[in-house]
């Protein structure tokens, strides 16, 4: 596959766009669809925000974007934009994929068939042994092991697959170590495997960052294996994301006397595939394991913009869309049907409201008023 890279000015524009307040991955994609390039979208943002009811919108400067790129490079990593050849294809396929990620290590691992392994931070000795054996078997079968570099099951899985290929997705910046005791492990994965971050360098992980990280863990993999998880474990959030993304969800059963097994056992009751070995995981994923995904080479990087509605058309329908919206999340497709609007008109009105801080996006393509 021919290497595809955006020129540096385009990377700077895309970085400025995604770092703009109120611009998330969905808004980012809609803006590119409407304006054709990140530069054109940046020029349109202040007016869109004003029409949505916001007095002013600050855009990150080129100097700020340059400083972030310099910090990434200082960490021995690089920014990868969705649409470039090094962007993991499975991750690119999920809803609202990150427009830019930071990666350090062997980038080809992101294009290989992968399995995510997650579980309890306070894992039992038996759970750690199982995780070690399953991750080792998966690596020997040619599968990359993805996890979140947390204590317990995550760390064990990474170590077991270090020689065959492992990807660590971190909740903070690429240059931030969490938990601190995994500093050596994160460094080893950066050399022998691949470390991926969505947040800017220097970002200290906070509670709200971990669900975003979990979404990337499942998005990078064909399926997720849960080894020991309490009923309120973050591992179950990863399993839920996997279901939403159409991935296989598997769980290792445990003793009903151990609270650390209740989450995995509950997943099995709800229909997750019961697995007890790496061979069973490979068998479950066999129909999906094939050559690495590729995209046609050649062609222009910039997508042709969709037809942008004029101001008068937007003004005629803005009140109708606001009437249909409420604090209750509603699918965008349902708004299109009830408002009887074309996608460009509705997307533009939703962008205005989102940039003004009045609209919240939810999983499954749903939106609500704040």
């Amino acid at each position: 596959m021919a290497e595809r890279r955006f020129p540096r000015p385009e990377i700077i524009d895309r970085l400025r766009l995604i770092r703009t307040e109120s611009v998330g991955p969905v808004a980012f994609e809609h803006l590119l669809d409407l304006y054709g390039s990140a530069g054109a979208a940046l020029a349109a943002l202040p007016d869109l925000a004003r029409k949505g009811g916001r007095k002013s919108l600050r855009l990150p400067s080129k100097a700020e974007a340059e400083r972030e790129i310099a910090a990434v490079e200082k960490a021995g990593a690089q920014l990868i934009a969705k649409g470039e050849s090094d962007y993991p294809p499975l991750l690119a396929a999920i809803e609202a994929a990150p427009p830019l990620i930071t990666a350090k290590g062997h980038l080809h691992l992101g294009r290989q068939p992968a399995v995510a392994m997650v579980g309890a931070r306070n894992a039992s000795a038996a759970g750690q042994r199982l995780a070690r054996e399953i991750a080792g078997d998966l690596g020997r079968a040619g599968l990359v092991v993805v996890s979140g570099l947390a204590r317990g099951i995550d760390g064990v899985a990474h170590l077991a697959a270090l020689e065959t290929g492992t990807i660590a997705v971190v909740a903070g910046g690429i240059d931030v170590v969490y938990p601190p005791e995994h500093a050596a492990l994160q460094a080893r994965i950066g050399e022998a495997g691949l470390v991926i971050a969505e947040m800017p360098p220097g970002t200290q992980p906070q509670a709200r960052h971990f669900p975003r990280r979990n979404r990337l863990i499942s998005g990078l993999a064909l399926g997720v294996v849960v080894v020991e998880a309490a009923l309120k474990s973050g591992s179950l959030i990863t399993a839920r994301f996997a279901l939403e993304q159409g991935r296989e969800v598997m769980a290792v059963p445990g003793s009903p006397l151990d609270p650390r097994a209740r989450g995995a056992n509950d997943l099995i009751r709800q229909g997750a595939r019961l697995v007890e070995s790496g061979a069973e995981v490979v068998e479950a994923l066999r129909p999906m394991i094939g050559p690495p995904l590729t995209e046609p080479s050649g062609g222009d990087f910039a997508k042709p913009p969709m037809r942008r509605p004029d101001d008068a058309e937007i003004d005629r329908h803005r009140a109708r869309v606001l009437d249909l919206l409420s604090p209750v999340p509603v699918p965008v497709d349902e708004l299109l049907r009830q408002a009887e609007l074309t996608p460009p008109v509705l997307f533009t009105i939703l962008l205005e409201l989102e940039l003004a801080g009045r609209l919240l996006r939810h999983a499954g393509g749903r939106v609500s008023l704040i």
Side-chain angles (χ1 to χ4, degrees), residues 4 22 53 56 66 79 113 115 147 161 190 239 246 249 265 268 270 295 297:
R4 294 187 297 156
S22 299
S56 63
E66 291 278 12
L79 280 170
V115 180
S147 199
V249 177
N265 290 346
I268 294 169
Q270 295 179 50
E295 296 182 33
S297 59

Side-chain angles (χ1 to χ4, degrees), residues 117-121 123 128 131-132 135 145 147-162 166 168 179 182 185 188-189:
M117 287 189 64
V118 294
R121 287 173 169 79
Q128 292 185 53
R132 186 180 302 110
V145 173
S147 199
L149 205 66
R151 300 179 180 95
I153 297 299
D154 288 26
V156 170
H158 284 309
L159 277 170
L162 197 58
T166 187
H182 278 176
L185 178 57
R188 289 179 67 189
I189 296 173

Side-chain angles (χ1 to χ4, degrees), residues 167-241:
I167 299 174
V169 186
V170 297
I174 197 80
D175 56 347
V176 175
V177 175
Y178 185 86
E181 60 264 33
H182 278 176
L185 178 57
Q186 184 167 331
R188 289 179 67 189
I189 296 173
E191 294 172 357
L194 181 62
V195 181
I196 289 177
E198 182 180 6
M199 305 305 295
T203 302
Q204 295 294 328
Q206 300 179 27
R208 69 178 186 274
H209 297 147
F210 288 93
R212 295 180 66 165
R213 177 207 63 173
N214 295 349
R215 188 167 164 275
L216 267 63
I217 291 172
S218 57
L220 285 159
L222 297 168
V224 173
V225 180
V226 179
V227 184
E228 291 194 342
L231 284 173
K232 294 186 178 180
S233 168
S235 300
L236 303 188
I237 297 175
T238 308
R240 188 184 74 239
F241 283 135

Side-chain angles (χ1 to χ4, degrees), residues 317 319-326 328-342 346:
H317 299 293
R320 171 63 174 156
V321 173
L322 279 168
D323 286 342
L324 291 172
L325 288 167
S326 76
V328 179
V330 60
V332 171
D333 288 346
E334 182 66 16
L335 288 176
L336 280 170
R337 187 184 67 81
Q338 292 198 30
E340 298 180 338
L341 298 176
T342 63
L346 180 62

